[in-house]
Amino acid sequence: MLKIWKPLQNYLLVAPQFLVFLLFLVFPILTIVVVSFWEFNGYAMTPALIFENYRSIFTSSVYLSTYLNTFKFVAIVWILAFAIAYPVAYFLAFHIQSLKWQVILFVVCTIPFFTSNVIRMISWIPFLGREGLLNQLLMHLNLVQEPVELFLFSDFAVVLAMLHLYTLFMVVPIFNSLVRIDRNLITAALDSGAASWQVFKEIIFPLSLPGVAIGSIFIVTLVMGEFTTVRLMSGGQASSVGYAIRNQIGSLQYPQAAANAVILLIITLMMVFAILRTVDIRKEL
Amino acid sequence: MPQKRPLSFYILGAFFSLFVLFLYGPMSAIFLLSFQGEEGNLTFPMRGFSFYWIQSVFGEQRIGEFVTPFLRSLTLGLIVTLLSVAFSVMAGMAFRRKFTGSRFIFYLTITSLIVPSILVSLGIGIFFNVLGWDVQWYSSALGGHLTWTLPFAFLIMVGVFNRFNPAYEEASRDLGASDFQTFGQIVLPLIAPSLIGVGMLSFTLSYDEFNRTSLISGENNTLPLEIFGMTTNVTSPALYALGTLTTLFSFAIIGAGLATFQALKSSAPPSNSKN
């Protein structure tokens, strides 16, 4: 009895989690793939095996620019998030000596993550709006004569809001890699006469790359599927694949939305695998 | 210790402070503007100070009604929390031993975390549609939330059990306790602080979740969806007041979670780790 129970026990224990992912992740994504070959007749979808949905994506210049625009957001947010997150994580890991302060400052950085994304986006209105603080300041300094409309409802606002929401996803993994670096390595390098920039270039930076990779995966996957920030911060001006999918669902064009989702998923996974190839991530878990 | 700090400390320190300002600045602006006077609008300057807009959130009026969506989000969050904690503890227990398929489950969990959220939302929506099931906040949206909270809960529990000393359980079994007694009287009290942490995390993630729920909540919106709907047609500080209240609620949950975590941690045996 006990002999059968033991191995079976593991499967019973993971069963609920597995079923959740089967029902709400695997089956839904398989359904997306199937439906992407279905037909849409203007008001409903019918089972079929057509490639029209994909053909229309690959032959339309509108789609091309939508995809390019999405990549643009991914690239800009990724570069800026890295540029902000690395110094922040480095400061926390190497310049804060007491563990207590390290924990406190780390918690200070993570608390906004536990609040609503929608509220955090709204909170830019008093700054960027037509009568917002930024415009008031510029008017006051006589740098502009009329309020600049462009701050809110622009690519600038979209990127700013995304950085506000997602930079933390880069900070945490980099911090995690940095604190794990054996301090003896650094002492040894300094004792052997390395300059501090050499220590950074030869030891710290290479050892922090897995953290950079994990953070990059988060940023890429979060921004690739973005539609809320694009919708809210650009006022519907900018486009992204996620937003296009969202609009197609709004007009019930499920097969077309599904085809876009499949392509989005494939591109995202390719990016993730490309990042995974550069470093061995399993060491971090 | 009284060692002179390098210049880089001050430069990076300033950068860090700017980052914190960037994170909290906009939020504090809407906190302030929630107390805008009755004639005030969405931007500075403050025109007086009042609780007018805060009060307006509780009444039913043309901007909509928020008590019901709040209670709905609260209920959903509690269900998600219970399920996430229970499922992740079970899976975490299983992952203490290697078994065939464990790698597959592990990667499936990671996939759930990193798949673009619109795919989860769209997928569950179409899946329910094809099967003829009704999308509701307690069915499809619950599933969408679990795909987001469970991976976090699971990864934390795997970490917790990695540091868990099996000697306690062996001692318990040697004394004749059954598996269930060992779990209930030894393992559970020892991991209780972490469970509070996982629960708190799951609740706030669910309570604030928007992207994965947006297409699949059915006719009854959760609070974040209701707030999102409000952004397009509300141009009064009531929007900020609602934002402030719901953020304060999140903070209260985080605070209560941290306090309970500390209390349990200090009442637990001094060490439950291997080293």
Side-chain angles (χ1 to χ4, degrees):
Chain A
M1 156 78 194
L2 209 75
K3 269 186 187 146
I4 316 167
W5 169 240
K6 273 291 166 199
L8 199 64
Q9 199 183 21
N10 287 333
Y11 292 104
L12 286 175
L13 285 170
V14 290
Q17 175 160 332
F18 178 66
L19 286 176
V20 166
F21 291 139
L22 199 64
L23 196 58
F24 295 109
L25 185 73
V26 178
F27 288 162
I29 288 178
L30 290 179
T31 315
I32 291 181
V33 175
V34 171
V35 167
S36 70
F37 295 104
W38 285 13
E39 234 168 343
F40 181 71
N41 58 12
Y43 54 91
M45 53 183 184
T46 43
L49 183 60
I50 57 161
F51 296 88
E52 178 55 31
N53 303 316
Y54 288 99
R55 203 187 61 81
S56 71
I57 294 172
F58 287 115
T59 52
S60 144
S61 62
V62 178
Y63 276 121
L64 182 68
S65 70
T66 304
Y67 276 89
L68 288 179
N69 209 40
T70 312
F71 297 145
K72 184 187 80 185
F73 281 134
V74 171
I76 296 175
V77 173
W78 178 62
I79 291 168
L80 291 177
F82 171 74
I84 297 170
Y86 206 98
V88 167
Y90 187 91
F91 177 74
L92 274 180
F94 285 107
H95 282 296
I96 303 296
Q97 306 292 341
S98 96
L99 183 66
K100 186 182 150 205
W101 273 103
Q102 218 170 37
V103 172
I104 291 174
L105 292 178
F106 185 75
V107 169
V108 164
C109 289
T110 41
I111 280 178
F113 172 66
F114 297 109
T115 58
S116 166
N117 279 5
V118 179
I119 305 288
R120 291 176 71 194
M121 282 184 247
I122 293 169
S123 68
W124 283 105
I125 299 174
F127 283 88
L128 301 178
R130 205 185 130 80
E131 279 139 41
L133 286 180
L134 190 57
N135 267 323
Q136 285 179 20
L137 181 75
L138 291 177
M139 300 268 284
H140 189 74
L141 295 174
N142 277 323
L143 287 174
V144 292
Q145 304 307 316
E146 281 173 23
V148 182
E149 301 272 3
L150 212 67
F151 293 135
L152 204 58
F153 304 142
S154 64
D155 283 5
F156 167 74
V158 173
V159 170
L160 188 72
M162 284 184 185
L163 283 173
H164 193 224
L165 295 176
Y166 302 141
T167 303
L168 184 75
F169 286 90
M170 197 71 144
V171 174
V172 174
I174 294 178
F175 172 73
N176 185 40
S177 299
L178 288 176
V179 289
R180 285 177 183 209
I181 295 175
D182 187 350
R183 302 302 144 116
N184 292 329
L185 287 175
I186 296 166
T187 317
L190 288 172
D191 287 350
S192 325
S196 52
W197 66 269
Q198 283 175 313
V199 173
F200 179 77
K201 184 170 157 271
E202 303 292 336
I203 297 173
I204 297 175
F205 191 68
L207 287 174
S208 67
L209 280 179
V212 176
I214 293 178
S216 304
I217 290 175
F218 272 118
I219 301 278
V220 165
T221 54
L222 283 165
V223 179
M224 277 301 283
E226 247 302 343
F227 62 99
T228 328
T229 315
V230 176
R231 158 80 184 71
L232 201 63
M233 298 306 286
S234 81
Q237 308 281 319
S239 60
S240 76
V241 184
Y243 189 34
I245 293 175
R246 177 75 190 78
N247 285 338
Q248 282 159 357
I249 296 163
S251 52
L252 298 177
Q253 301 176 50
Y254 286 112
Q256 189 65 65
N260 265 312
V262 169
I263 293 178
L264 177 72
L265 182 65
I266 291 171
I267 295 174
T268 309
L269 288 180
M270 275 162 50
M271 288 174 158
V272 170
F273 283 124
I275 296 169
L276 283 175
R277 282 188 74 94
T278 59
V279 282
D280 184 6
I281 258 170
R282 247 170 286 148
K283 281 187 190 149
E284 290 295 295
L285 301 164
Chain B
M1 194 68 221
Q3 177 189 19
K4 195 173 170 288
R5 286 184 157 143
L7 180 65
S8 60
F9 172 86
Y10 295 100
I11 297 172
L12 287 171
F15 190 82
F16 181 85
S17 313
L18 280 178
F19 178 66
V20 172
L21 189 69
F22 172 61
L23 285 181
Y24 287 87
M27 296 289 277
S28 31
I30 68 162
F31 277 24
L32 272 177
L33 288 168
S34 316
F35 299 102
Q36 185 69 287
E38 269 184 59
E39 271 83 62
N41 56 29
L42 281 172
T43 46
F44 288 106
M46 299 277 290
R47 290 174 214 278
F49 177 92
S50 77
F51 290 97
Y52 177 80
W53 301 107
I54 298 276
Q55 277 170 358
S56 76
V57 171
F58 295 97
E60 168 134 30
Q61 40 185 299
R62 68 192 159 80
I63 57 168
E65 194 254 328
F66 298 102
V67 180
T68 321
F70 167 74
L71 292 174
R72 202 176 288 133
S73 273
L74 188 67
T75 317
L76 180 59
L78 290 174
I79 300 172
V80 169
T81 304
L82 272 178
L83 295 180
S84 303
V85 170
F87 293 174
S88 65
V89 169
M90 292 169 73
M93 292 281 285
F95 267 75
R96 300 174 73 183
R97 292 172 290 260
K98 279 234 163 2
F99 58 93
T100 321
S102 63
R103 276 172 67 94
F104 172 73
I105 306 252
F106 186 83
Y107 283 114
L108 187 62
T109 311
I110 301 290
T111 307
S112 182
L113 189 63
I114 64 172
V115 70
S117 41
I118 184 122
L119 266 119
V120 176
S121 212
L122 170 67
I124 295 177
I126 297 191
F127 181 55
F128 272 53
N129 186 323
V130 167
L131 293 179
W133 295 353
D134 212 14
V135 284
Q136 290 290 353
W137 62 272
Y138 49 79
S139 58
S140 44
L142 173 66
H145 280 203
L146 286 174
T147 64
W148 180 230
T149 59
L150 250 185
F152 283 104
F154 170 78
L155 290 175
I156 295 174
M157 285 325 295
V158 168
V160 167
F161 281 119
N162 268 344
R163 287 187 291 273
F164 192 85
N165 188 346
Y168 291 114
E169 289 158 285
E170 283 155 22
S172 157
R173 282 200 204 91
D174 288 347
L175 293 170
S178 72
D179 275 2
F180 285 104
Q181 282 173 318
T182 306
F183 180 78
Q185 295 178 20
I186 306 296
V187 180
L188 203 55
L190 284 173
I191 61 170
S194 312
L195 293 193
I196 298 294
V198 170
M200 176 204 89
L201 179 68
S202 305
F203 182 84
T204 48
L205 287 179
S206 158
Y207 177 75
D208 294 320
E209 159 57 33
F210 176 80
N211 289 333
R212 294 186 186 214
T213 327
S214 60
L215 307 170
I216 50 174
S217 76
E219 67 260 4
N220 294 313
N221 277 342
T222 61
L223 189 58
L225 291 174
E226 201 71 30
I227 298 173
F228 185 75
M230 215 178 144
T231 58
T232 50
N233 53 27
V234 175
T235 49
S236 76
L239 181 64
Y240 298 151
L242 182 58
T244 301
L245 288 174
T246 169
T247 306
L248 286 178
F249 182 74
S250 292
F251 283 178
I253 297 287
I254 299 169
L258 286 175
T260 323
F261 180 84
Q262 283 298 334
L264 284 173
K265 197 103 201 191
S266 49
S267 68
S271 165
N272 61 348
S273 73
K274 280 176 201 165
N275 31 28

